[in-house]
């Protein structure tokens, strides 16, 4: 008679009888064993990547703000938003971007599986790496101790005289905990009720004395709040990356690694960096403060004409261009003979029908028409905003020189249709070994690059002030007064 044994690790094992009856019994028990094993095993769960493809949606969390994600008149914008959209396209799914105003809320949603990843310029720290999985580092930032202009500048934590407030659960908080060993008297408060921009605004309003901000976010904020000052760098060259849950599922993480490898190789990361931060790397306190004051004191006089003659252009871009050219001075004149609030040359003024370059309304109308003409000259295949940046550079040095720089860019193997690439080669037009190989020769291409960067900063400031209802509307008397300018 067959003997049946049961072992906990292998299930049913049959031994004994060899005859036909035994073979039948053995076959029956084999079928039962397979059924038991199949019945007892749990069905395999789909991987994170499979779930994303099943839902056709990539869920990404980010902190709302100018450096990550924001709503603009032309739609959703932001460095992290565009990068996340690229990754969703890479996966072949739709992007569901979820903006947050609290780090705690965002990480809780990541923890409970409501988000697939966090793309928010999160700094890598050892303590965070114990809880979460970081993707490849794609940028480096530094943490800055921020205070309001007019106070005594602190050089280190010993110099702080007042309250220091940072975001709860932030890398700033973790940094302060590390510094506590070196500065035992160091104290601070943490908040989950404000975001980074609100903390910086609280510095301006005098509600708090100090905070810590990431360098890229601070650079954007100082465009319209130049009174924010940097005491000292708290950290330097902090790597930042996307954040995923810490588990054994590598399906999504593996593609994050692949995606960033390609984004670096095809210069997409460089292009986004240039688009959002390339024009704000340098900060000039006096220049920025003077612009803010001119917006309040001088712009209201000319704002209606910028709006009237901009047509399909953004009037704020036209105003930013005008400030770069003349600081909104209708009587401005350069040694080379350009005149007026838009600084038109005499041939250009004749081309656009301006009879008096010193009359601001005529000059603004003519400058707007000329800028439209330059934009139309840009090859159709070049998309915005690059078309505009090329046109602005042409306003300064002429399309011929800009096109020479595009040719130099192509020779070097870079993309002649991307402003981020061409701006690296424009300054070469001051060097003989480069300009002698071009059609139009020598040009101050370095000045043209700074020129475009300045206009972009002024434009960003005007957009922010306008969207926050901080621009003063013009009145009829101011317009009538300016119309009488000779």
């Amino acid at each position: 008679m067959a003997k049946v044994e049961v072992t906990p690790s292998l299930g049913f094992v049959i031994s004994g009888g060899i005859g036909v009856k035994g073979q039948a019994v053995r076959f029956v028990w084999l079928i039962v064993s397979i059924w038991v094993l199949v019945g007892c095993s749990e069905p395999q769960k789909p991987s994170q990547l499979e779930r994303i493809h099943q839902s056709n949606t990539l869920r990404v969390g980010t902190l709302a703000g100018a450096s990550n994600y924001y709503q603009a008149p032309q739609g959703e914008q932001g460095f992290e938003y565009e990068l996340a959209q690229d990754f969703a396209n890479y996966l072949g799914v739709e992007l569901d971007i979820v903006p947050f105003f609290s780090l705690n809320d965002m990480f809780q949603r990541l923890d409970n599986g409501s988000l697939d990843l966090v793309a928010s310029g999160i700094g890598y720290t050892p303590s965070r790496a114990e809880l979460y999985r970081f993707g490849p580092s794609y940028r480096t930032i530094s943490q800055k101790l921020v205070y309001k202009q007019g106070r005594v500048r602190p050089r280190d934590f010993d110099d702080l005289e007042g309250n220091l407030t940072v975001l709860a659960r932030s890398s700033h908080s973790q940094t302060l905990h590390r510094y506590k060993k070196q500065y035992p008297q160091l104290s601070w408060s943490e908040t989950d009720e404000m975001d980074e921009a609100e903390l910086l605004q609280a510095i301006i309003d005098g509600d708090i004395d100090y905070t810590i901000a990431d360098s890229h976010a601070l650079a954007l904020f100082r465009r319209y709040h130049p009174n924010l000052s940097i005491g000292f760098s708290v950290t330097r060259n902090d790597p930042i990356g996307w954040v995923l849950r810490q588990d054994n599922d590598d399906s999504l993480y593996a593609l994050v690694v692949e995606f960033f490898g390609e984004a670096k190789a095809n210069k997409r990361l460089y292009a986004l960096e240039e688009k959002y931060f390339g024009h704000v790397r340098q900060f000039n306190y006096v220049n920025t403060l003077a612009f803010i004051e001119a917006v309040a004191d001088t712009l209201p006089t000319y704002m209606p004409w910028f709006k009237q003659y901009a047509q399909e252009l953004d009037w704020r871009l036209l105003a930013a261009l005008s400030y770069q050219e003349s600081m909104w001075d209708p009587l401005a004149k350069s040694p080379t003979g350009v005149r007026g609030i838009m600084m038109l040359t005499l041939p250009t003024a004749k081309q656009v029908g301006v009879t008096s370059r010193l009359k601001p309304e005529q000059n603004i109308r003519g400058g707007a028409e000329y800028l439209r003409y330059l934009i139309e000259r840009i090859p159709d295949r070049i998309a915005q905003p690059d078309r505009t940046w090329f046109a602005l550079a042409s306003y300064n040095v002429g399309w011929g020189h800009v096109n020479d720089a595009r040719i130099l860019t192509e020779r070097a193997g870079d993309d002649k249709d991307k402003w981020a690439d061409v701006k690296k080669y424009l300054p070469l037009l001051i060097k003989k070994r480069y300009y002698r190989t071009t059609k139009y020769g020598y040009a101050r291409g370095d000045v043209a690059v700074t020129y475009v960067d300045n206009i972009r900063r002024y434009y960003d400031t005007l957009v922010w002030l306008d969207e926050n209802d901080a621009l003063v509307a013009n009145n009829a008397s101011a317009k009538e007064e300016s119309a009488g300018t000779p």
Side-chain angles (χ1 to χ4, degrees):
M1 183 174 179
K3 179 181 179 182
V4 179
E5 298 176 358
V6 180
T7 67
S9 60
L10 299 178
F12 297 91
V13 178
I14 303 173
S15 62
I18 306 298
V20 175
K21 184 177 180 181
Q23 291 177 351
V25 172
R26 184 172 182 176
F27 177 76
V28 171
W29 276 113
L30 180 61
I31 296 299
V32 172
S33 299
I34 293 173
W35 178 82
V36 170
L37 289 172
V38 172
C40 292
S41 63
E42 295 183 4
Q44 186 176 2
K45 293 181 179 179
S47 68
Q48 184 179 13
L49 185 60
E50 289 172 334
R51 292 194 299 272
I52 289 171
H53 281 293
Q54 288 170 1
S55 65
N56 194 38
T57 303
L58 176 71
R59 302 162 303 171
V60 176
T62 192
L63 291 177
S67 59
N68 294 328
Y69 169 83
Y70 59 94
Q71 287 282 352
Q74 63 270 36
E76 295 170 306
Q77 298 284 304
F79 178 91
E80 295 291 349
Y81 165 74
E82 288 205 40
L83 198 56
Q85 183 62 70
D86 286 348
F87 185 52
N89 294 340
Y90 185 78
L91 298 180
V93 299
E94 298 294 323
L95 173 66
D96 179 15
I97 192 83
V98 184
F100 290 86
F101 298 92
S102 162
L103 277 168
N104 270 329
D105 291 346
M106 186 167 64
F107 279 113
Q108 286 175 7
R109 291 282 295 276
L110 180 64
D111 293 338
N112 66 26
S114 299
L115 298 174
D116 296 307
L117 59 85
V118 164
S120 193
I122 301 297
Y124 174 93
T125 64
S127 56
R128 274 186 177 153
E130 292 178 359
L131 301 174
Y132 300 99
R133 173 179 271 184
F134 275 80
S137 173
Y138 55 95
R139 297 182 65 219
T140 59
I141 60 172
S142 59
Q143 297 177 25
K144 307 291 187 182
L145 192 288
V146 183
Y147 70 104
K148 187 176 181 180
Q149 182 78 17
R151 295 179 62 99
V152 176
R153 178 186 175 183
R155 304 287 180 170
D156 59 36
F157 287 114
D158 279 334
D159 294 338
L160 300 188
E161 296 180 355
N163 57 79
L164 168 62
T165 305
V166 299
L167 297 177
R169 203 174 176 179
S170 65
S171 56
H172 310 149
S173 169
Q174 296 180 11
T175 298
L176 289 174
H177 280 287
R178 294 197 300 272
Y179 270 105
K180 182 72 173 176
K181 299 176 182 178
Q182 182 180 350
Y183 299 92
Q185 80 289 353
L186 178 61
S187 63
W188 67 92
S189 59
E190 301 187 10
T191 179
D192 202 33
E193 300 300 319
M194 293 187 284
D195 59 26
E196 190 168 42
E198 289 173 317
L199 277 177
L200 292 172
Q201 184 63 52
I203 295 285
I204 295 294
D205 296 339
D207 297 331
I208 62 176
D209 299 308
Y210 309 99
T211 191
I212 296 177
D214 291 335
S215 53
H216 62 302
L218 180 60
L220 294 173
F221 202 81
R222 293 176 88 191
R223 291 171 300 176
Y224 33 85
H225 283 304
N227 284 325
L228 286 174
S229 294
I230 298 173
F232 55 92
S233 293
V234 180
T235 66
R236 299 179 187 273
N237 298 320
D238 297 341
I240 62 175
W242 285 357
V243 182
L244 294 82
R245 285 185 298 281
Q246 187 72 273
D247 54 31
N248 295 323
D249 187 341
D250 295 331
S251 58
L252 183 63
Y253 176 79
L255 289 185
V256 168
V257 174
E258 287 184 9
F259 167 73
F260 275 101
E262 290 194 15
K264 289 179 180 179
N266 63 23
K267 298 185 179 180
R268 175 58 173 163
L269 275 172
Y270 172 75
L272 284 177
E273 178 80 20
E274 161 58 30
K275 178 178 179 179
Y276 286 99
F277 307 110
H279 59 299
V280 295
R281 293 191 181 99
Q282 302 297 323
F283 174 78
N284 185 303
Y285 170 75
V286 174
N287 180 282
T288 306
L289 185 62
F291 178 68
I292 296 294
E293 292 174 348
V295 168
D297 299 336
T298 308
L299 178 60
T301 302
Y302 307 108
M303 187 188 300
W305 289 326
F306 287 128
K307 291 183 175 180
Q308 177 181 350
Y309 295 113
Q311 297 181 17
E312 75 276 10
L313 299 174
D314 188 328
W315 75 266
R316 298 164 299 190
L317 178 71
L318 192 62
L321 168 61
S322 176
Y323 185 83
Q324 172 63 27
E325 286 286 352
S326 69
M327 299 178 70
W328 295 325
D329 178 4
L331 303 180
K333 179 181 179 180
S334 81
T336 58
V338 293
R339 300 295 301 268
I341 197 168
M342 300 296 292
M343 295 296 273
L344 300 177
T345 65
L346 190 57
T348 299
K350 291 181 178 179
Q351 175 185 337
V352 295
V354 171
T355 58
S356 175
R357 291 181 290 167
L358 298 185
K359 289 186 176 180
E361 182 179 6
Q362 279 197 43
N363 208 288
I364 290 172
R365 176 184 58 77
E369 184 173 338
Y370 184 55
L371 180 59
R372 281 192 292 271
Y373 163 75
L374 291 173
I375 292 175
E376 289 172 359
R377 291 194 67 184
I378 308 301
D380 291 340
R381 66 178 179 275
I382 299 178
Q384 291 289 12
D386 297 84
R387 290 180 65 83
T388 297
W389 309 151
F390 281 124
L392 291 176
S394 300
Y395 199 105
N396 180 248
V397 294
W399 170 246
H401 291 303
V402 173
N403 203 41
D404 282 346
R406 293 178 65 238
I407 293 171
L408 292 178
T409 304
E410 186 176 37
R411 289 176 186 170
D414 285 331
D415 192 341
K416 67 177 181 179
D417 293 341
K418 297 293 184 184
W419 172 249
D421 284 348
V422 175
K423 72 179 293 188
K424 295 185 297 184
Y425 297 90
L426 255 174
L428 299 181
L429 295 179
I430 65 174
K431 298 181 179 181
K432 185 175 181 180
R433 68 178 181 273
Y434 292 102
Y435 73 70
R436 69 182 180 184
T437 68
T438 64
K439 181 177 180 179
Y440 292 93
Y442 174 89
R444 288 301 306 271
D446 55 335
V447 173
V449 170
T450 301
Y451 175 92
V452 174
D453 284 348
N454 288 344
I455 294 172
R456 291 173 64 184
R457 279 197 298 273
Y458 299 144
Y459 171 69
D460 287 350
T461 301
L462 287 175
V463 169
W464 187 89
L465 293 171
D466 189 23
E467 293 177 353
N468 286 274
D469 300 320
L471 291 178
V472 180
N474 188 25
N475 54 59
S477 60
K479 182 174 180 179
E480 291 172 1
E481 180 182 346
S482 65
T485 305

